[in-house]
Amino acid sequence: MAAPHTDGGAPETVVHADAGSLAEDAATRVAAAMRAAVAARGRCVLALSGGSTPRLLHARLVAMGADALPWPRTFVTFGDERGVPPDDAASNYGMARDTLLAHVPVPETHVLRMEGERPPADAAERYEAALRALALRLDVADDDALFDLVLLGVGADGHTASLFPGSPALDEGARWVLDVQAPADVAPRDRLTLTFPALARAREVLVLATGAAKRDAVARAIAGDAALPAGRVRGRARTTWLLDRAAAGA
Ligand code: 6PG
């Protein structure tokens, strides 16, 4: 069982007028985290989020210019993936490739893709091995953060990554990656996800949420409601929620 770690305290919440200004602020924060990581450790490890919210953020990061950020010193991982191949419209990797990775100079060998096209249990084991190999390569101590910044979204049910309320995956205390099933009304059901022990290896967590449908889940998660997976993730140094007015209930 991973040793408990002190987290960065209560989350900071920032409310923006709309998704555009939220994406602008998120891009500034991602850029600052990347620069700080490279200045301190010579490299940056990001975990990208899936879904649709990150699209605007990715566009802002691309608009900064290919040389504006230390992409060549950055490793890109993923918080979760759907059980589909990269070219499927539902692929989180495919979305990140098309909206960000194809437009910035991150080395292909620095992108750790969850292999959604593989049998789920095999893909989960392979991704865990890849993450642990990265930690070894970067000489990350067992009690230190592996991810400099983890980007997350949240669902109206309070899920984050592909950790859904009531899932047995929420009780995992050692594995970093699991294959899970999303609820019957959420497609695709086959998912790969980082677990809480993996997310606990985040130096900083940045959660992006827009839209009124998420308002109740956002309020409960920010208050730390442990029944909601999104309420249980904290960065070791900092946890920030960026909301638009609708998600904030403002
Ligand atoms: C996924 C995500 C998931 C997502 C939320 C919000 O694979 O779906 O990782 O956790 O962040 O469901 O999704 P939207 O940004 O599309 O609202």
Side-chain angles (χ1 to χ4, degrees):
M1 173 74 81
H5 65 85
T6 55
D7 67 36
E12 177 195 5
T13 301
V14 180
V15 180
H16 287 279
D18 53 38
S21 59
L22 185 156
E24 201 66 51
D25 184 17
T28 301
R29 290 170 186 265
V30 171
M34 289 173 68
R35 290 174 177 136
V38 168
R41 288 170 292 282
R43 56 20 182 222
C44 173
V45 181
L46 291 181
L48 298 182
S49 173
S52 56
T53 302
R55 288 176 175 271
L56 271 182
L57 162 61
H58 293 174
R60 293 294 195 283
L61 290 171
V62 171
M64 286 180 169
D67 300 328
L69 298 176
W71 292 109
R73 309 289 291 274
T74 299
F75 293 84
V76 174
T77 69
F78 291 82
D80 73 325
E81 185 55 278
R82 288 81 179 273
V84 297
D87 290 328
D88 187 296
S91 169
N92 288 336
Y93 166 78
M95 183 274 286
R97 177 198 58 206
D98 296 345
T99 61
L100 176 62
L101 302 178
H103 309 285
V104 293
V106 60
E108 274 191 32
T109 56
H110 284 199
V111 178
L112 279 68
R113 178 178 71 86
M114 290 182 169
E115 297 165 299
E117 70 280 14
R118 280 184 176 268
D122 180 36
E125 284 176 18
R126 286 166 59 91
Y127 203 71
E128 173 137 357
L131 285 180
R132 291 184 185 276
L134 179 65
L136 276 177
R137 169 179 176 181
L138 300 181
D139 198 20
V140 176
D142 286 349
D143 61 354
D144 198 359
L146 168 59
F147 307 102
D148 294 294
L149 175 64
V150 170
L151 288 158
L152 291 171
V154 61
D157 62 354
H159 81 261
T160 194
S162 282
L163 295 170
F164 291 88
S167 165
L170 306 186
D171 300 325
E172 175 57 46
R175 292 281 307 274
W176 286 3
V177 186
L178 289 178
D179 56 299
V180 298
Q181 286 284 296
D185 61 341
V186 177
R189 295 200 66 192
D190 284 340
R191 302 285 186 106
L192 297 166
T193 188
L194 295 187
T195 61
F196 286 130
L199 293 171
R201 304 293 298 269
R203 192 176 313 283
E204 183 177 350
V205 168
L206 184 61
V207 187
L208 278 57
T210 60
K214 301 179 179 184
R215 183 179 55 200
D216 294 342
V218 162
R220 287 175 57 194
I222 289 174
D225 182 342
L228 301 188
R232 292 175 52 180
V233 185
R234 291 282 189 277
R236 297 184 176 205
R238 186 180 308 121
T239 307
T240 308
W241 284 68
L242 300 184
L243 310 175
D244 68 359
R245 285 204 182 106

